[in-house]
Amino acid sequence: MIFLKNLSKFKTTLSITVPFLVLFIIGTVSSCMKVLNLQIPDGVYIVGDWNEWVPTENDKMTPSASEDAYVFELPVASITFNPSRSGNEFSIGYYKVIYKQGGVTKVSSSIPVWKENLGSDTKLTIYATPTIMKNGLAVGVGDSEKMKSAQKSWSIGGEINNWNLDQGVMTWDATNKVFVYEKTNFAGQKKEYKFKLSRTDNDWKPWEMNYDGKKYDAGMGQDASFTLPESGTYDLKFTYDPKFSILTVTYTKK
């Protein structure tokens, strides 16, 4: 399978990460900590309120050749939803992915799920690629709620467009299953530019549904950024893979 053979060679032009060592599974809503059960068999697991953030054999993900990932179908009824920090009109639930193999353990960040965006869905499909997972981050983990392109669009807002989400609406690439935003003839006048990824139609809300390259949360002022080698005119391309929460920026100098 591709994800077992080739993803260890995965490269991006600009990768936005933050080092983080995870020693505990943290229940986001309850704020209580549970020590990771290191006695579990090797594998990839989903944890959340339904299993008190401690993995069991029933929460083990299975590899899928067609998806190039480990997959798990979680009943929506299993997720505990609470009001978003940005307003009661948004309901947010969380889950995490744990990877354990040969003495190596990786734990994703708490991944938010927007209840209202699920519509009539009774199951949430979760994807994970352990070879690109990073401790404390959403990278390598995603789900079907983030891929609902027909219902809620993603946008790039940042210094490149005066933080105007309407000017940074991403288009859905159905072939590669990614969202893309291209900014042509951008006049680069400094080295670093800040930006964020958000839902287009709610003006940065709910906060938990934003991806800034570090974690899902635009409400705390944590911006992503990209750098240019020198001043000049550039064509920029922002690509967001919602299946694995990978956000990249590439550029071409003109």
Side-chain angles (χ1 to χ4, degrees):
M1 291 183 285
I2 297 175
F3 73 94
L4 294 176
K5 295 180 180 178
N6 296 334
L7 281 178
S8 60
K9 301 178 181 179
F10 181 87
K11 296 181 180 179
T12 60
T13 304
L14 289 178
S15 183
I16 311 163
T17 61
V18 178
F20 192 86
L21 177 62
V22 176
L23 298 177
F24 301 95
I25 301 300
I26 302 176
T28 304
V29 176
S30 63
S31 296
C32 63
M33 288 201 246
K34 296 184 179 295
V35 178
L36 176 60
N37 180 5
L38 296 177
Q39 301 306 312
I40 60 174
D42 286 356
V44 187
Y45 301 84
I46 302 296
V47 295
D49 283 338
W50 67 90
N51 59 14
E52 298 185 341
W53 301 91
V54 178
T56 70
E57 190 65 25
N58 292 333
D59 305 300
K60 197 171 186 178
M61 303 184 76
T62 57
S64 169
S66 62
E67 296 291 353
D68 283 347
Y70 284 84
V71 177
F72 189 90
E73 288 193 342
L74 177 67
V76 172
S78 296
I79 306 173
T80 300
F81 292 97
N82 288 280
S84 165
R85 293 195 305 279
S86 59
N88 292 333
E89 68 270 35
F90 308 108
S91 302
I92 303 296
Y94 292 90
Y95 67 87
K96 286 188 179 185
V97 171
I98 300 174
Y99 165 72
K100 182 175 180 289
Q101 182 70 45
V104 176
T105 301
K106 299 179 184 180
V107 184
S108 76
S109 64
S110 295
I111 312 299
V113 180
W114 182 5
K115 182 180 180 179
E116 287 78 8
N117 199 37
L118 289 171
S120 60
D121 292 356
T122 58
K123 292 183 179 181
L124 177 75
T125 303
I126 301 172
Y127 308 93
T129 304
T131 53
I132 57 175
M133 281 180 61
K134 298 180 185 296
N135 276 334
L137 302 180
V139 177
V141 177
D143 57 66
S144 54
E145 187 272 312
K146 314 299 184 296
M147 300 174 70
K148 286 180 167 289
S149 58
Q151 292 178 289
K152 304 290 179 182
S153 298
W154 292 94
S155 286
I156 295 292
E159 294 180 294
I160 61 169
N161 56 17
N162 295 316
W163 298 95
N164 189 327
L165 294 177
D166 290 332
Q167 293 182 10
V169 178
M170 308 185 88
T171 58
W172 175 245
D173 180 343
T175 300
N176 298 306
K177 295 183 178 180
V178 296
F179 291 95
V180 178
Y181 167 60
E182 296 184 82
K183 177 80 172 179
T184 59
N185 298 317
F186 174 69
Q189 300 177 340
K190 61 179 184 176
K191 187 173 183 179
E192 183 180 53
Y193 287 88
K194 295 181 179 182
F195 71 98
K196 288 180 182 176
L197 176 66
S198 182
R199 305 287 188 172
T200 304
D201 54 350
N202 287 306
D203 191 23
W204 306 103
K205 296 180 180 181
W207 292 344
E208 294 87 343
M209 297 308 300
N210 293 278
Y211 190 82
D212 61 14
K214 302 171 187 175
K215 63 180 182 178
Y216 288 91
D217 196 342
M220 302 304 292
Q222 296 188 15
D223 302 324
S225 66
F226 68 91
T227 58
L228 297 174
E230 58 186 355
S231 298
T233 302
Y234 293 85
D235 286 344
L236 307 174
K237 183 177 182 179
F238 297 78
T239 303
Y240 174 53
D241 181 346
K243 189 175 180 180
F244 301 121
S245 299
I246 298 171
L247 177 61
T248 59
V249 186
T250 56
Y251 57 81
T252 303
K253 188 175 182 182
K254 305 184 76 173

